[in-house]
Amino acid sequence: MDSFWGSWRSKFSTEKQSTVIDGYSDELSIASNFAAIFQSACMPNSPARHDSLKAKFQAQFDGYRDEQSITFCTVEMVDACIRQLKLGKAAGHDQLTVEHLVYAHPILLIHLSLLFNILKLHGTVPHDFCKGIIIPLIKNSDGDKTSSDNYRGITLSPVLSKVFELTLLNDVKSYLISDDLQFGFKRNSSCAHAIFIMASVVEHYYKSGSTVTVCALDISKAFDRVNNYALLSLLIDRKVPRYFITIMLKWFQHSTASVRC
């Protein structure tokens, strides 16, 4: 059903961005306005806390040694990762799409596996992997389309970087097991499961004669403001291989994005 309505909206939807955003009417000013908004959303809440987390991570990382060997990519792994990507998605800055990889000559898989192994061996990523394009999308079609508050940004990443990400995720998935009470961002888990559990718990206490108080917390820009160094420190605590943390550090440090609207 989700796939059906996604296809329907892509073909027949009339949701369009307003020609005036926050009082700006020309395309360059609108894009610059969104760029400033997205940039501010990714700034640390507290510069002092950011510096403290950075220093903590650096101290951990300098003394971090592991006995894990690098998991090199095979041609079969690269092919499996490409098959996981969804077709029909927009291209990144390099204008390459998933279809280019799916229908390419099989020798491409060999070249990609060699490239990914070199990146893992040297603990780095190409600068082109770090370039994203942010597109503002309307959050509420019935809301004010002239206000930037009614827009959220999605980032288009190079398709080759997505394949590399999947190979890395395959390397460390055993380290990233989360609590059973977490429903988001997990395979075979969705809002429906969380709603069912919540409804069951409420019903249980209600039938027992108890008063049920529910608190919902919506943290504004939560994912945009996650501190990269705090995240990397948590990975060290989980004994994630050093080469993976090195790659993530380089990726975070060199990531850039431009706005297209």
Side-chain angles (χ1 to χ4, degrees):
M1 187 60 68
D2 292 340
S3 178
F4 168 78
W5 285 114
S7 299
W8 178 277
R9 284 191 293 267
S10 67
K11 304 299 181 184
F12 302 108
S13 176
T14 57
E15 289 186 10
K16 292 184 178 180
Q17 180 178 304
S18 172
T19 55
V20 178
I21 304 291
D22 292 346
Y24 298 102
S25 57
D26 63 286
E27 295 177 350
L28 180 59
S29 297
I30 292 174
S32 299
N33 181 50
F34 274 121
I37 293 172
F38 295 142
Q39 183 179 23
S40 64
C42 295
M43 299 298 290
N45 287 320
S46 169
R49 178 61 175 162
H50 171 77
D51 293 339
S52 173
L53 291 170
K54 181 178 180 180
K56 175 187 175 183
F57 162 74
Q58 200 62 56
Q60 282 182 295
F61 187 65
D62 289 343
Y64 184 53
R65 298 292 182 270
D66 64 1
E67 298 179 357
Q68 302 293 330
S69 58
I70 296 176
T71 305
F72 289 108
C73 293
T74 63
V75 173
E76 292 77 15
M77 180 189 297
V78 174
D79 182 55
C81 290
I82 291 176
R83 302 296 169 182
Q84 292 181 43
L85 298 175
K86 295 182 179 179
L87 301 177
K89 296 297 183 179
H93 70 88
D94 53 10
Q95 299 303 309
L96 293 178
T97 64
V98 178
E99 286 80 359
H100 284 101
L101 306 186
V102 171
Y103 302 117
H105 191 282
I107 198 174
L108 177 64
L109 299 176
I110 299 175
H111 289 303
L112 289 180
S113 65
L114 292 173
L115 170 64
F116 295 163
N117 287 333
I118 291 173
L119 298 180
K120 290 182 179 183
L121 189 62
H122 293 279
T124 188
V125 288
H127 284 291
D128 273 8
F129 280 20
C130 304
K131 296 178 181 178
I133 300 176
I134 301 178
I135 299 179
L137 296 181
I138 296 174
K139 291 191 289 187
N140 180 10
S141 58
D142 298 324
D144 184 4
K145 296 182 180 179
T146 66
S147 172
S148 59
D149 292 335
N150 193 27
Y151 290 82
R152 62 182 178 89
I154 64 165
T155 303
L156 304 180
S157 302
V159 65
L160 293 180
S161 72
K162 294 180 182 179
V163 178
F164 186 46
E165 286 176 14
L166 290 175
T167 64
L168 291 173
L169 184 60
N170 186 72
D171 293 349
V172 300
K173 60 184 178 182
S174 61
Y175 298 89
L176 306 178
I177 299 174
S178 57
D179 193 279
D180 291 337
L181 296 179
Q182 176 182 324
F183 293 92
F185 305 98
K186 297 176 71 172
R187 187 180 296 275
N188 301 321
S189 177
S190 66
C191 291
H193 297 88
I195 293 172
F196 174 77
I197 293 294
M198 177 183 171
S200 299
V201 172
V202 170
E203 183 181 14
H204 170 78
Y205 285 102
Y206 177 75
K207 287 183 176 179
S208 301
S210 300
T211 300
V212 179
T213 303
V214 177
C215 176
L217 179 63
D218 183 11
I219 304 176
S220 178
K221 308 296 184 184
F223 290 98
D224 296 328
R225 293 187 182 276
V226 169
N227 189 284
N228 295 337
Y229 294 106
L231 182 63
L232 293 173
S233 291
L234 290 174
L235 294 179
I236 291 179
D237 293 339
R238 291 203 174 197
K239 307 300 181 183
V240 172
R242 181 183 173 89
Y243 78 88
F244 178 86
I245 298 175
T246 303
I247 291 174
M248 289 295 100
L249 178 62
K250 294 288 182 64
W251 215 325
F252 289 149
Q253 289 177 336
H254 295 99
S255 289
T256 59
S258 55
V259 175
R260 184 174 74 196
C261 66

